Amino acid sequence: YLSIVPNPVTGISNIEINLPEQNGSAKLIVINSAGQKVMEQTVATGQSKVQFSKGRLPAGLYLVNLSVDGQTVAAEKMMVME
């Protein structure tokens, strides 16, 4: 369903998504270690790629959730480096 390449992230990574084609809204959500949402983006079902730039995010561990119609269908840990 979900992969992050490269991980750990030092600049830009691609988040690759593979969801069955379906009706419904899919969202990609990045959450920091304090449980705060730092990114939320609507994504298409099927195969897609989202480019993620660490930007000003501090180094640390983040959780990337993929949800469809509010239900989490996949989650991956992402390490952001300086």
Side-chain angles (χ1 to χ4, degrees):
Y1 281 149
L2 180 65
S3 67
I4 303 162
V5 180
N7 190 9
V9 180
T10 56
I12 294 176
S13 281
N14 288 312
I15 301 173
E16 298 172 0
I17 300 159
N18 189 0
L19 280 173
E21 294 281 342
Q22 59 189 16
N23 294 329
S25 75
K27 286 190 179 186
L28 190 66
I29 301 166
V30 178
I31 300 167
N32 67 15
S33 58
Q36 300 166 317
K37 241 186 253 185
V38 295
M39 183 188 120
E40 182 173 336
Q41 183 171 337
T42 301
V43 294
T45 55
Q47 288 189 335
S48 60
K49 231 181 235 190
V50 174
Q51 205 171 57
F52 175 82
S53 172
K54 80 172 195 110
R56 296 183 183 182
L57 286 180
L61 187 62
Y62 293 80
L63 185 63
V64 180
N65 281 337
L66 180 61
S67 66
V68 177
D69 295 330
Q71 298 276 352
T72 299
V73 295
E76 286 288 329
K77 292 177 185 171
M78 176 175 69
M79 180 62 77
V80 172
M81 307 296 281
E82 286 295 325

